[in-house]
Amino acid sequence: MLNKSFLFVAFLVSALQCYSQTVHHFTEALLINSGSRYGREAVYTDLLAWKLYNNTLAKPAAGALFDITEKGDTQRWQAIKADSANRFLTRQWQAIARGNTFGNPNRVDRGTGYIYLTYTSPKEQSAILNIRGNSGVYFNGIPHMGDPYNSGYMHIPVSLRKGLNELYVRGTNISADLIFPGKAVSLASDDLTLPSVIKGKDNSNLEAAIVVINTSSKTLSTLQLKTSMGGKEIKSTLPPVPPMTTRKVKFRFDASGITEKGWNDCSVSLFEKQKLIDTSTIKIECVEPIDKYSVTFTSNIDGSLQYYAVTPQLPASKDSGNALFLSVHGAGVEALGQARAYQSKDWGTLVAATNRRPRGFNWEDWGRLDALEVLAMAKEKFKPDPQHIYLTGHSMGGHGTWFLGATYPDKWAAIAPCAGYPTLKGYGSADGLIPDSSNSPAEQMLLRSSNQSDVIKLATNYKSLGIYIMHGDADRVVPVTYARQMRKVLADFHSDYNYYEYPGGEHWIGSESVDWPYIFDYFKWHKIAVDTAVNTIDFSTANPGISSSYRWASILQQLFPLRYSRIQLKRSNSGKTITGTTENAKLIQFGLANFGKGATVNIMLDSQLIKYSTTSANDTVILKKENNIWVLGGFPTAQEKNPIRNGTFKDAFNYNMIFVYGTTGNKQENEWSYNKAIYDAETWYYRGNGAVEIIADKDFDPTRYKDRGVILFGNASTNSAWNKMLLNSPIQVKRNQIQAGDKTWTGDDLSAYFVWPLENSSFASVGVVTGTGLKGMNAANANQYFAGASGFPDFMIYSLDMLKNGPSEIKLAGFFDNNWKLTRSNIAEGK
């Protein structure tokens, strides 16, 4: 155990090191409105990046020509200065900022322009770059994640050249600093993930997370963290932190010595091989059991530490069978803040998931998975009555309520979207709109990947749910027209919804914005029907990999990937029949438990009769469409698409992924691969509060990393792990060539994203970020696949010129068929 004298010496050493830290504030810059467009799809345009990757970007200077547009307008660099707070504020940004309020961060894309900064270094050295308000930055040509939401915690290690260092910062309202730390390795305590210490509970082995910054040139593989709190110490072994990176790491602390409510100090000491590296003191709150509190957990998505918040039932009940309310928060709102907006209910517990970050993923993609993880844990912990589960949320959480309600309609007795928008096709944010349509067949294929986000197309899934819509009629952030739109949609078929416009209500009217008593009164008289009582089904899905089942019926495979599928069924227990119709369904499954063992069930599907005799009390039947005829089938194998692994490129990021960079290319290719892995890890950390293991291709062993998603950077010529996972893929990429089936493209400027099932796993996939040369690899740098609801199909091949010309430069895009093969019906070709 560490004694007090040692801790004091450690604190003094740390204080002296911090004292030697210096900061350079950027105060002069050049600005160009370059018209870059990044958004919620795989297509992006960025003329500055296109010039940078083609080595045609002239050195900026005040008044120097950047480009001449198609209309003949000249674009020139403009000199700008920072204000007294070291912020670069342009008129363009100020106009946008005036309309920026609580729930709607920037309907105009923040990345339309670039700011050029320079720093002249007297020597080669490491520093920490901290920029706020940007969506990305090139530091000496290397891409790094930005801080579009002004969070302040993006501490990016960078290597300074001796002499001129150049920064191209995407974003027009920024502040930028270079920090020269007094130590090579340090702790950053401004982005913590913390649980509450709950008075009277077992607090002896709690978990938290903190960021380690490594500006050294070596991988830190022997790190340990020691904590001391209330006289109790505990030690944690940390995962490796690669050179010139940050990583958010889990650690344990013992708070059993804390007995009083309030904020308490926890001393954190970082060691490498028993040598003290850094110390920090963090504050952790002790609360009463009746207070709102936070619970941390290890996420199955990536192994990182996340948390959810709880508004406990009061008075507390030791009996199971009470209600559970899942609340999904708005943009910029922490889960604990969401929980604190509610008064405790006497008939149930409220839990608030995080969406991985206060803005996260709009409750789609990994935000959706976070909500499902928290729901499952809350059911296990609080053991509610399974018929009394409810969903509600505000603003972005209102969208999450619409989305999760339509996607999983059998999980809720009722839902209550407050001040929400139904779809991202009609509502903008910092990540841009999802386009409604396109004249490009290839882009149309890409946009199918976002179909699951359009809840208006899935609205009939709400039939079984009670719905309470609440919206302020003076809301200028999410206009009330969205609520009226959904009221009109529901009016065509729904018989159990309540609609309320709060007179004069703006976007946030206080806690009543979420804790509206009439919502919970409405919830109270709704319950989830048991499966045996549900004899009518009307269920739609755009992606069985996201949502495949409703009650006793499932869509296991589609005829056309990610087009909308629908089943409409009626069951007669006395007549032992199932009748109905299907749309875009290839393989479906019915549960037959209601009919019992030894029953002959007549299934009339799409006017075709199939007879099936049950062999057990819990029998199921699977039907397959062959040549437009339904026949008996079986559950798809692991080598076929199925609800567990149905593809789209993003699927590879779902199972405790690892990043594998290539080392068998030339120097520039290898540097790109490593830098791209770091860039994506930074983005995953920023958007998803996540942590990723990054390894070299030579260290990848399929047996060691079995059942983990893999993101591979490089091609068959530059990444030796390629042949361990992708030999059977119909898409093959090597230096200067991409082959997809019988199609071949050549050149060094081609890029591709694609997904492929890992052969040694029944559920994990490999996602490939690749190019045929340095130009093509750089064109794959944009990682808007981390934007919530952004559309990425199974594969997409394009050229560097897409950054200049848009979707016309897509070569091929689409989906593999159910056997993971390329078929013409599921692809769109470009020029």
Side-chain angles (χ1 to χ4, degrees):
M1 295 179 68
L2 298 174
N3 60 40
K4 292 181 180 180
S5 297
F6 180 83
L7 287 174
F8 175 77
V9 171
F11 171 79
L12 182 60
V13 169
S14 177
L16 290 173
Q17 288 176 322
C18 289
Y19 183 75
S20 65
Q21 174 178 290
T22 59
V23 179
H24 170 77
H25 302 294
F26 290 94
T27 58
E28 296 184 352
L30 297 172
L31 168 71
I32 191 69
N33 184 5
S34 60
S36 60
R37 288 291 181 269
Y38 293 76
R40 297 187 188 278
E41 63 167 334
V43 177
Y44 75 102
T45 57
D46 189 333
L47 184 59
L48 187 143
W50 180 83
K51 289 175 178 284
L52 183 67
Y53 299 153
N54 275 302
N55 296 314
T56 61
L57 180 61
K59 182 177 174 58
L65 180 67
F66 170 74
D67 194 54
I68 301 176
T69 69
E70 292 181 356
K71 295 180 180 180
D73 298 328
T74 58
Q75 295 177 306
R76 298 184 182 276
W77 290 96
Q78 303 173 34
I80 57 174
K81 291 182 179 291
D83 64 12
S84 59
N86 299 316
R87 297 172 301 176
F88 293 98
L89 293 173
T90 69
R91 291 181 180 178
Q92 176 192 17
W93 169 253
Q94 289 168 345
I96 297 169
R98 282 193 294 271
N100 180 25
T101 50
F102 172 72
N104 178 18
N106 313 334
R107 294 187 186 179
V108 180
D109 179 9
R110 188 173 285 187
T112 58
Y114 275 89
I115 287 178
Y116 174 71
L117 305 171
T118 61
Y119 179 79
T120 301
S121 177
K123 60 181 180 179
E124 291 185 359
Q125 58 184 318
S126 297
I128 298 171
L129 181 64
N130 180 252
I131 306 180
R132 300 178 63 154
N134 65 318
S135 57
V137 57
Y138 293 99
F139 189 92
N140 289 333
I142 298 172
H144 290 284
M145 180 56 191
D147 180 8
Y149 303 122
N150 284 282
S151 302
Y153 54 71
M154 281 303 290
H155 308 291
I156 299 175
V158 291
S159 297
L160 294 172
R161 303 166 178 162
K162 180 180 179 180
L164 181 67
N165 294 268
E166 299 178 288
L167 292 75
Y168 291 95
V169 183
R170 192 167 66 248
T172 50
N173 169 42
I174 71 163
S175 60
D177 296 326
L178 269 178
I179 303 166
F180 297 90
K183 61 191 88 172
V185 183
S186 58
L187 295 168
S189 58
D190 53 355
D191 179 33
L192 302 167
T193 302
L194 300 173
S196 300
V197 177
I198 304 175
K199 188 176 176 181
K201 303 293 184 180
D202 181 5
N203 297 304
S204 61
N205 191 24
L206 301 179
E207 284 192 311
I210 194 170
V211 174
V212 175
I213 304 174
N214 180 12
T215 63
S216 76
S217 59
K218 65 177 183 178
T219 296
L220 305 174
S221 55
T222 58
L223 292 177
Q224 290 185 326
L225 208 65
K226 292 184 179 180
T227 58
S228 177
M229 188 176 186
K232 304 289 185 177
E233 296 182 348
I234 196 168
K235 179 175 66 176
S236 303
T237 299
L238 304 185
V241 183
M244 300 302 294
T245 67
T246 66
R247 183 167 184 175
K248 197 166 189 180
V249 296
K250 294 187 294 185
F251 65 92
R252 296 177 298 136
F253 67 97
D254 184 347
S256 60
I258 303 301
T259 59
E260 296 300 325
K261 180 179 178 178
W263 290 94
N264 296 269
D265 288 345
C266 177
S267 175
V268 182
S269 300
L270 181 66
F271 291 83
E272 184 186 18
K273 295 180 178 178
Q274 308 303 316
K275 178 184 177 182
L276 180 66
I277 301 298
D278 196 15
T279 64
S280 181
T281 299
I282 60 178
K283 299 283 188 180
I284 302 177
E285 187 177 19
C286 177
V287 300
E288 299 283 354
I290 62 172
D291 293 332
K292 285 80 170 179
Y293 60 89
S294 298
V295 179
T296 55
F297 66 95
T298 298
S299 172
N300 291 325
I301 300 170
D302 64 344
S304 65
L305 195 76
Q306 305 297 325
Y307 88 95
Y308 64 90
V310 179
T311 301
Q313 179 178 341
L314 294 178
S317 173
K318 295 182 180 180
D319 298 327
S320 60
N322 293 296
L324 179 68
F325 315 105
L326 179 67
S327 181
V328 289
H329 62 74
V333 180
E334 283 278 359
L336 185 57
Q338 182 80 351
R340 285 172 173 163
Y342 292 91
Q343 294 295 318
S344 291
K345 312 302 173 191
D346 62 4
W347 62 289
T349 301
L350 183 138
V351 296
T354 67
N355 189 32
R356 305 280 295 199
R357 282 291 192 190
R359 284 184 169 86
F361 305 104
N362 293 84
W363 296 106
E364 303 199 26
D365 298 312
W366 304 282
R368 167 183 63 87
L369 295 178
D370 175 74
L372 294 180
E373 278 195 313
V374 170
L375 178 65
M377 287 184 289
K379 285 182 176 180
E380 178 66 24
K381 181 179 179 68
F382 300 109
K383 296 181 170 43
D385 183 332
Q387 291 186 276
H388 290 277
I389 312 293
Y390 305 91
L391 172 68
T392 185
H394 177 265
S395 190
M396 181 181 73
H399 169 68
T401 302
W402 284 121
F403 172 68
L404 295 167
T407 306
Y408 307 107
D410 53 1
K411 292 185 181 296
W412 327 104
I415 66 174
C418 304
Y421 47 93
T423 171
L424 288 164
K425 288 186 176 180
Y427 184 78
S429 74
D431 295 313
L433 292 166
I434 298 174
D436 282 318
S437 60
S438 173
N439 293 324
S440 163
E443 190 174 20
Q444 291 171 12
M445 188 68 73
L446 301 182
L447 294 178
R448 269 168 56 180
S449 306
S450 297
N451 277 349
Q452 81 284 343
S453 174
D454 192 348
V455 302
I456 295 173
K457 299 288 180 58
L458 303 173
T460 52
N461 286 359
Y462 297 127
K463 284 182 178 179
S464 64
L465 299 174
I467 302 177
Y468 193 110
I469 306 171
M470 180 182 171
H471 215 115
D473 65 5
D475 191 337
R476 293 182 298 173
V477 178
V478 182
V480 72
T481 50
Y482 290 110
R484 294 171 183 171
Q485 175 190 25
M486 289 307 294
R487 177 180 60 180
K488 183 177 180 181
V489 169
L490 294 174
D492 288 338
F493 65 86
H494 207 289
S495 59
D496 181 15
Y497 69 92
N498 202 335
Y499 181 90
Y500 180 68
E501 286 187 16
Y502 195 101
E506 297 185 356
H507 194 62
W508 182 254
I509 55 175
S511 62
E512 286 186 332
S513 297
V514 290
D515 198 16
W516 184 240
Y518 300 104
I519 286 176
F520 290 88
D521 290 343
Y522 180 83
F523 280 172
K524 190 171 286 188
W525 53 274
H526 285 82
K527 65 180 182 179
I528 302 173
V530 295
D531 279 358
T532 55
V534 178
N535 294 313
T536 300
I537 284 179
D538 186 355
F539 174 67
S540 298
T541 185
N543 184 349
I546 292 176
S547 175
S548 63
S549 299
Y550 179 76
R551 303 292 187 165
W552 44 269
S554 302
I555 299 172
L556 303 179
Q557 289 181 345
Q558 299 174 296
L559 291 168
F560 300 99
L562 272 69
R563 289 183 180 173
Y564 294 101
S565 299
R566 188 177 185 180
I567 47 177
Q568 295 174 280
L569 306 168
K570 289 188 176 181
R571 178 177 67 183
S572 171
N573 297 322
S574 59
K576 298 190 183 332
T577 62
I578 296 174
T579 60
T581 60
T582 70
E583 299 173 28
N584 191 34
K586 172 71 173 179
L587 197 68
I588 57 177
Q589 177 176 280
F590 299 148
L592 305 177
N594 265 29
F595 301 113
K597 181 179 178 180
T600 298
V601 183
N602 293 306
I603 304 172
M604 183 65 70
L605 197 61
D606 298 328
S607 301
Q608 301 171 33
L609 178 63
I610 305 101
K611 291 182 176 290
Y612 183 83
S613 296
T614 61
T615 58
S616 72
N618 294 301
D619 207 350
T620 61
V621 61
I622 295 176
L623 302 177
K624 183 177 183 179
K625 182 168 277 190
E626 291 185 349
N627 300 317
N628 210 34
I629 301 294
W630 287 106
V631 298
L632 294 177
F635 195 87
T637 67
Q639 287 71 47
E640 299 176 89
K641 285 190 174 182
N642 59 69
I644 300 172
R645 183 165 57 187
N646 194 55
T648 81
F649 174 70
K650 291 187 176 187
D651 190 58
F653 295 81
N654 290 348
Y655 296 104
N656 202 9
M657 60 184 166
I658 57 170
F659 287 177
V660 180
Y661 62 89
T663 64
T664 58
N666 60 39
K667 181 175 183 293
Q668 288 180 311
E669 291 167 334
N670 293 344
E671 286 178 348
W672 169 85
S673 187
Y674 182 74
N675 291 334
K676 172 61 172 165
I678 298 302
Y679 175 38
D680 277 15
E682 290 170 354
T683 308
W684 179 248
Y685 157 69
Y686 181 80
R687 291 192 175 276
N689 193 31
V692 183
E693 184 176 356
I694 303 171
I695 65 170
D697 50 4
K698 60 186 178 183
D699 297 322
F700 177 73
D701 180 352
T703 58
R704 178 182 176 188
Y705 296 102
K706 180 176 170 56
D707 289 333
R708 292 182 64 178
V710 177
I711 309 301
L712 182 146
F713 301 96
N715 60 45
S717 304
T718 67
N719 192 309
S720 63
W722 184 283
N723 288 342
K724 298 176 182 179
M725 294 177 282
L726 297 163
L727 272 179
N728 296 321
S729 168
I731 298 177
Q732 292 294 320
V733 186
K734 60 183 180 181
R735 193 176 287 117
N736 295 319
Q737 179 179 295
I738 292 183
Q739 185 172 3
D742 59 358
K743 300 286 183 182
T744 301
W745 299 269
T746 59
D748 67 349
D749 64 340
L750 299 166
S751 302
Y753 306 114
F754 68 93
V755 67
W756 187 249
L758 286 175
E759 294 183 3
N760 67 336
S761 175
S762 61
F763 54 85
S765 302
V766 54
V768 183
V769 181
T770 184
T772 55
L774 193 60
K775 288 183 178 179
M777 291 172 173
N778 279 328
N781 275 338
N783 56 18
Q784 66 268 37
Y785 35 82
F786 290 129
S790 56
F792 278 74
D794 288 349
F795 55 86
M796 172 186 173
I797 300 169
Y798 60 98
S799 73
L800 171 61
D801 284 344
M802 186 185 77
L803 280 65
K804 181 180 181 182
N805 302 324
S808 63
E809 301 296 337
I810 300 173
K811 307 299 183 184
L812 195 73
F815 305 89
F816 297 110
D817 70 11
N818 288 316
N819 294 306
W820 292 97
K821 297 184 181 300
L822 291 172
T823 55
R824 293 193 178 277
S825 61
N826 297 316
I827 64 176
E829 297 183 43
K831 66 179 184 179

